[in-house]
């Protein structure tokens, strides 16, 4: 069995084109029904703001692995002395044909890369369907997920980036803004400043309550990665609401669940990431209608990303072999 930690993943490196390709391959398995993914249970105890989630899946195709991600989210960790990461994650990968465990990935970085790569796939197809010379991007939240989204956007859009606006309720240290897009990046003073006139708007916050109550830019992509940022008024401005999986995302007080409860949003009113990638679902909507994507996080994507790093680590001779 191969054991990989954060240092090992960083030795392999992040190739965003390849990790996005991996997510696309997993989406094709979703479309072909070549997967199994039970609804993930949440373990809560004592302080109910904390949770540990079990995410299980089998993914077919060339990925051909089963596995589980056990991920803990303790928001108060960042306030401890010394601070601890908010999230801790362990992924176990099993051979699909005999159940033999072949790899353990002990780092939340895998989950962060998965999340950013799913967004990257959405951006890839949004850009294909709605090509422009330049795109204005905004990222709300400058924690690990926000920073990796920033890296992903810079790597995938490259010279198509006009500007990238960053906002966080905590001050953003300019020294943390690095890379090829640094000169195109600006720290804004409010979410509204980042939101208005933005083509690709990405939420990477830990907001406890929705706050976005303005009309989005016509024809924009709204990547609601943190799932609890939009008020239900977004339904007044778009019918193009995409999810990764309706049963997963319509719970746990997400924006989708609130829209379901308060505005009557139903599964039939939404499209899936598989319909977008495999059946060109964006084309069903007018070009000036904003697209909203709400990803709860799917275990199939964690298993697929784990497969990518398992294969890449073996090829590079990275990791520790356990008996």
């Amino acid at each position: 069995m191969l054991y990989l930690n954060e240092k090992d993943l960083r030795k392999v490196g992040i190739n965003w084109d390849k990790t996005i390709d991996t997510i696309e391959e997993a989406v094709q398995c979703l479309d072909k029904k070549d997967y199994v993914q039970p609804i993930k249970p949440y373990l809560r105890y004592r302080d109910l703001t904390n949770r540990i989630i079990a995410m299980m899946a089998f993914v077919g195709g060339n990925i051909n692995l089963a596995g589980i991600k056990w991920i803990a989210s303790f928001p108060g960790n960042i306030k401890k002395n010394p601070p601890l990461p908010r999230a801790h994650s362990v992924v176990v990968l099993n051979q699909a044909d005999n159940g033999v465990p072949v790899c353990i990935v002990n780092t939340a970085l895998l989950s962060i890369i998965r999340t950013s790569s799913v967004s990257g796939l959405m951006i890839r197809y949004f850009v294909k369907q709605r090509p422009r010379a330049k795109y204005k991007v905004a990222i709300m939240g400058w924690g690990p997920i926000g920073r990796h989204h920033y890296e992903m956007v810079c790597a995938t859009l490259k010279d198509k980036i006009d500007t990238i606006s960053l906002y966080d309720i905590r001050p953003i240290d300019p020294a943390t803004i690095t890379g090829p897009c640094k000169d195109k990046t600006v720290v804004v003073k409010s979410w509204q400043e980042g939101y208005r006139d933005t083509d690709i708007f990405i939420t990477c916050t830990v907001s406890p309550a929705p706050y976005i109550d303005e009309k989005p830019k016509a024809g924009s992509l709204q990547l609601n990665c943190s799932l609890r940022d939009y008020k239900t008024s977004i339904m007044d401005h778009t019918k193009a609401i995409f999810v990764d999986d309706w049963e997963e995302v319509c719970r746990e007080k997400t924006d989708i669940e609130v829209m379901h409860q308060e505005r009557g949003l139903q599964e039939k009113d939404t499209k899936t990431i598989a319909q977008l990638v495999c059946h060109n679902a964006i084309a069903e909507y007018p070009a000036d209608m904003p697209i909203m994507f709400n990803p709860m996080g799917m275990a199939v994507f964690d298993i697929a990303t784990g497969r990518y790093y398992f294969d890449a680590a073996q090829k590079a001779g990275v990791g520790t072999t356990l008996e």
Side-chain angles (χ1 to χ4, degrees):
M1 178 190 295
L2 186 65
Y3 174 87
L4 301 173
N5 58 23
E6 181 171 336
K7 291 181 180 178
D8 296 323
L9 263 60
R10 294 200 180 279
K11 285 180 183 178
V12 172
I14 304 175
N15 184 317
W16 291 110
D17 286 338
K18 290 184 178 180
T19 59
I20 293 169
D21 287 345
T22 298
I23 298 298
E24 185 167 10
E25 184 176 354
V27 170
Q28 291 167 352
C29 290
L30 292 177
D31 188 59
K32 296 173 182 176
K33 308 301 181 185
D34 190 14
Y35 79 103
V36 177
Q37 180 179 263
I39 293 291
K40 55 193 178 188
Y42 285 63
L43 176 65
R44 288 189 171 93
Y45 53 91
R46 295 176 180 165
D47 183 349
L48 300 185
T49 61
N50 302 325
R51 60 189 184 272
I52 309 179
I53 310 169
M55 300 173 63
M56 301 159 279
F58 156 74
V59 191
N62 293 326
I63 297 167
N64 199 38
L65 285 176
I68 184 169
K69 180 172 78 170
W70 180 241
I71 182 165
S73 176
F74 282 59
N77 277 0
I78 61 174
K79 297 179 182 178
K80 293 183 182 296
N81 188 17
L84 293 171
R86 179 186 63 83
H88 292 83
S89 172
V90 177
V91 174
V92 180
L93 302 175
N94 301 70
Q95 290 182 1
D97 298 333
N98 56 25
V100 174
V102 292
C103 185
I104 293 177
V105 186
N106 182 16
T107 169
L109 180 60
L110 185 77
S111 186
I112 293 169
I113 293 170
R114 175 270 277 171
T115 300
S116 303
S117 298
V118 171
S119 295
L121 184 62
M122 291 296 298
I123 291 173
R124 176 182 288 180
Y125 276 82
F126 174 76
V127 169
K128 282 183 180 179
Q129 186 63 38
R130 297 183 176 179
R132 301 170 190 176
K134 298 283 185 179
Y135 295 85
K136 294 181 179 180
V137 182
I139 298 172
M140 302 296 103
W142 195 238
I145 293 179
R147 296 183 192 192
H148 281 81
H149 270 79
Y150 178 81
E151 292 179 13
M152 177 273 295
V153 165
C154 293
T156 54
L157 289 180
K158 298 182 176 69
D159 59 355
K160 292 184 179 180
I161 294 173
D162 183 348
T163 57
I164 303 179
S165 298
L166 305 178
Y167 176 71
D168 197 298
I169 57 174
R170 295 172 295 182
I172 294 176
D173 182 354
T176 62
I177 304 171
T178 60
C181 299
K182 181 178 180 180
D183 292 340
K184 297 181 179 180
T185 302
V186 58
V187 177
V188 296
K189 297 180 180 179
S190 67
W191 70 264
Q192 293 94 334
E193 189 178 349
Y195 184 72
R196 297 163 185 165
D197 194 34
T198 294
D199 302 300
I200 300 174
F201 185 81
I202 309 172
T203 66
C204 300
T205 74
V206 289
S207 176
Y211 56 92
I212 299 172
D213 56 1
E214 293 189 7
K215 181 179 180 179
K217 182 178 180 179
S220 62
L221 175 62
Q222 305 291 311
L223 287 173
N224 187 22
C225 299
S226 39
L227 290 171
R228 295 168 182 87
D229 294 66
Y230 288 80
K231 293 192 174 181
T232 60
S233 57
I234 187 67
M235 293 181 65
D236 298 331
H237 309 302
T238 183
K239 304 299 181 186
I241 298 177
F242 286 77
V243 299
D244 50 6
D245 181 275
W246 173 264
E247 291 186 358
E248 286 284 10
V249 77
C250 190
R251 61 192 186 122
E252 293 294 324
K253 299 179 181 179
T254 65
D255 293 339
I256 290 294
E257 184 183 33
V258 176
M259 286 189 275
H260 169 66
Q261 293 174 339
E262 297 184 3
R263 298 287 297 267
L265 182 72
Q266 303 294 324
E267 181 176 8
K268 64 181 177 61
D269 302 320
T270 65
K271 299 287 186 182
T272 67
I273 188 172
Q275 288 173 305
L276 181 145
V277 169
C278 302
H279 303 284
N280 198 26
I282 288 182
E284 299 180 23
Y285 301 99
D288 62 349
M289 181 173 285
I291 302 293
M292 184 190 192
F293 179 53
N294 305 267
M296 187 65 157
M298 297 184 72
V300 294
F301 297 148
D302 292 290
I303 303 308
T305 307
R307 174 91 220 195
Y308 168 78
Y309 275 97
F310 174 51
D311 291 344
Q314 286 184 301
K315 186 176 180 180
V318 171
T320 303
T321 300
L322 305 178
E323 292 184 4

